[in-house]
Amino acid sequence: MSRQGQYHEINFDGLIGPSHNYSGLSLGNIASANNAGAVSAPRRAALQGLGKMRRMMALGLPQGLLLPHHRPDAGWLRGLGFAGDDDAVLRAAWRQEPALLRNAFSASAMWTANAATVSPAPDTADARCHFTVANLSTMLHRSIEHEQTLRQLRLAFADERYFAVHAALPAGLGDEGAANFMRLGPSHGVRGLELFVHGERVAGAAFPARQHRAASAAVARLHGLADPALVRQNDAAIAAGAFHNDVVAVANEQVLFTHEQAFADREAVHRMVMERVPGAVIVEAPAARIGLDLAIRSYLFNSQLVTLPEGGMALILPHEAREAPEVWAWLEEVREGDNPITRLEVVDVRESMRNGGGPACLRLRVAVSAEAHAAIDPRFLLDEKVCDRIEAVIEREWPERIAPDDLGEPDLWHRCRSARAALLDVLRFAPGEL
Ligand code: SUG
């Protein structure tokens, strides 16, 4: 097994696409429902996302990116029987089935925590880093993503000496990727405990359980994990709007940062973590101090918990957590307390937040050795110069605002297409490569 010091984590953020809008497509996602029909600001959204990536780099952390998908996806609509060239397809869909066009328009691929589940090499039977693309089959607009995600991941992580990228599971098994997955271990470079969190169908429940147990088990088998843990999410958390587990818990190395009501059997999860993770630290928000509703409104658990190069860990939190006084007071106690969290960093990702996507939703974590890092397609890795180039494209090409009725406008369709093409060009992807 590789030595632990050589391993580090790269966060691959989804760049927020030019079609970002508020269509209220996600049942069980309260922010998405509350903002349905609002006017979005794609340019501001993408700049906020890029700003977060720059903040991570300023902390000395490597940063990657995944690209917006082709939207509106006329090809998908063609598969639903609309015919002709792209404009004809989109026009007919808008006239006959506007709900389908809204699905084909979604920029939801930005939330790359849902792109795939990733098991780093120290955990897997063949000592390669394994990815399984998430099928996202519970939500129609998200079920469109997996083909383009697979293409990107197979390109970025093409080197089969280090990486294995599995296609999405069959649609009947709901799989939402790393948003329902945590890895705990003394460091990124030694075998860890991989914890898969699923929901169960509950009669009469208002919201769906998006991650199915059988899907988690299949991913664990595909990745060749020795002893994965399959843990049930608390029904009350799903009912309160925690449509993914990463809305109520996040882990990094030996630390589990969680809400008291995240899991169906809290004691069993805590016991397992303490037994199986050397030096484990559980930082838990008591429900009496931070109720589930407040946790979900402020998204404090949808923060990125990252190891800092100088030692210690930082929580990368959304502004909404800073603005809730009870939440911030508790977070300050955590920072001062006896645990590895030494820094609280607040980022503005409000445009994404209004669709239920906080800092942690916007990134896919990939822990790699130095050699595996060097084998990643460099076009998916960022430095300040590349960020500058991306920023210029966003400023020039991304729409400033999208109102609900704009989705039927050919000008917007063309603009979304040409903006993405300009981005791919600047990042040196050949036309048709993605
Ligand atoms: O799947 N929102 C996303 C938010 C995903 C958040 N990801 C994590 N928790 N990791 C979702 O519900 C809203 C789209 C709309 O309503 O237009 C949306 O898809």
Side-chain angles (χ1 to χ4, degrees):
M1 205 55 54
S2 315
R3 274 178 294 120
Q4 70 182 77
Q6 293 178 309
Y7 271 77
H8 56 270
E9 179 179 273
I10 311 176
N11 284 279
F12 288 82
D13 276 45
L15 186 71
I16 299 178
S19 72
H20 159 66
N21 72 93
Y22 298 118
S23 285
L25 300 174
S26 270
L27 178 65
N29 172 341
I30 290 164
S32 153
N34 286 348
N35 290 300
V39 175
S40 69
R43 188 181 302 168
R44 191 183 323 136
L47 293 174
Q48 287 171 351
L50 191 65
K52 171 166 95 72
M53 300 183 220
R54 288 198 199 260
R55 285 282 289 284
M56 298 292 284
M57 288 159 57
L59 290 172
L61 302 167
Q63 182 65 47
L65 120 140
L66 293 173
L67 303 164
H69 292 188
H70 176 68
R71 294 287 181 272
D73 192 341
W76 180 73
L77 290 167
R78 214 169 263 117
L80 299 175
F82 297 103
D85 63 19
D86 282 4
D87 279 9
V89 163
L90 297 168
R91 216 175 305 115
W94 183 242
R95 208 173 41 239
Q96 296 169 39
E97 299 270 9
L100 288 181
L101 183 69
R102 281 188 208 104
N103 280 274
F105 231 106
S106 176
S108 55
M110 71 176 82
W111 298 296
T112 51
N114 305 115
T117 305
V118 187
S119 295
D123 300 350
T124 66
D126 64 6
R128 292 188 298 167
C129 176
H130 282 250
F131 298 71
T132 295
V133 173
N135 61 27
L136 294 167
S137 57
T138 305
M139 295 291 154
L140 184 61
H141 67 294
R142 302 220 62 183
S143 71
I144 308 170
E145 292 173 38
H146 67 90
E147 275 179 33
Q148 289 189 51
T149 301
L150 180 66
R151 218 173 305 142
Q152 286 197 43
L153 294 181
R154 288 234 162 116
L155 201 56
F157 303 99
D159 192 328
E160 293 181 358
R161 287 172 303 166
Y162 301 105
F163 304 112
V165 181
H166 307 276
L169 303 176
L173 299 174
D175 179 22
E176 302 272 324
N180 291 295
F181 170 86
M182 296 185 288
R183 178 185 193 274
L184 286 139
S187 79
H188 295 305
V190 295
R191 175 162 293 179
L193 166 64
E194 298 206 359
L195 217 145
F196 293 75
V197 189
H198 61 271
E200 296 284 348
R201 202 165 297 158
V202 177
F207 298 150
R210 296 208 215 173
Q211 182 74 33
H212 299 177
R213 185 186 180 285
S216 299
V219 172
R221 272 192 302 274
L222 284 167
H223 293 193
L225 303 180
D227 195 11
L230 302 187
V231 162
R232 182 173 170 180
Q233 208 183 344
N234 187 357
D235 298 336
I238 298 176
F243 53 94
H244 291 135
N245 178 68
D246 68 1
V247 173
V248 284
V250 62
N252 182 53
E253 295 190 321
Q254 78 280 25
V255 178
L256 173 62
F257 181 67
T258 180
H259 191 270
E260 186 182 346
Q261 291 166 302
F263 308 109
D265 189 344
R266 167 186 176 274
E267 284 71 30
V269 172
H270 287 209
R271 207 177 321 117
M272 175 175 55
V273 168
M274 295 314 286
E275 276 170 19
R276 291 188 50 188
V277 181
V281 177
I282 299 177
V283 180
E284 184 187 73
R289 266 200 74 178
I290 299 181
L292 266 180
D293 287 346
L294 179 58
I296 290 164
R297 214 173 336 114
S298 66
Y299 256 45
L300 82 152
F301 293 102
N302 200 258
S303 50
Q304 291 176 251
L305 182 56
V306 293
T307 305
L308 296 166
E310 67 269 26
M313 293 187 192
L315 272 174
I316 317 298
L317 294 142
H319 253 293
E320 288 75 358
R322 176 73 187 83
E323 284 162 0
E326 311 93 300
V327 167
W328 192 252
W330 183 72
L331 285 168
E332 286 187 316
E333 282 173 36
V334 168
R335 183 185 53 199
E336 303 314 320
D338 184 20
N339 68 71
I341 299 170
T342 50
R343 248 177 117 141
L344 306 177
E345 293 280 325
V346 176
V347 293
D348 180 0
V349 287
R350 284 178 208 273
E351 281 289 314
S352 166
M353 281 287 288
R354 296 178 75 204
N355 254 337
C361 300
L362 286 161
R363 61 88 176 95
L364 183 67
R365 313 161 83 170
V366 184
V368 285
S369 64
E371 299 80 38
H373 188 159
I376 298 170
D377 184 327
R379 294 174 297 180
F380 292 93
L381 295 169
L382 290 181
D383 59 27
E384 283 298 338
K385 263 206 211 107
V386 176
C387 286
D388 291 345
R389 270 190 251 134
I390 294 174
E391 189 167 324
V393 177
I394 296 170
E395 293 277 13
R396 197 176 62 237
E397 306 277 349
W398 259 234
E400 225 163 332
R401 63 196 291 283
I402 299 182
D405 282 347
D406 296 343
L407 301 193
E409 292 296 330
D411 280 354
L412 181 64
W413 310 337
H414 303 156
R415 180 114 198 238
C416 289
R417 256 183 255 150
S418 63
R420 180 173 181 271
L423 174 76
L424 297 196
D425 186 48
V426 149
L427 295 174
R428 308 200 201 298
F429 289 98
E433 200 177 0
L434 281 176

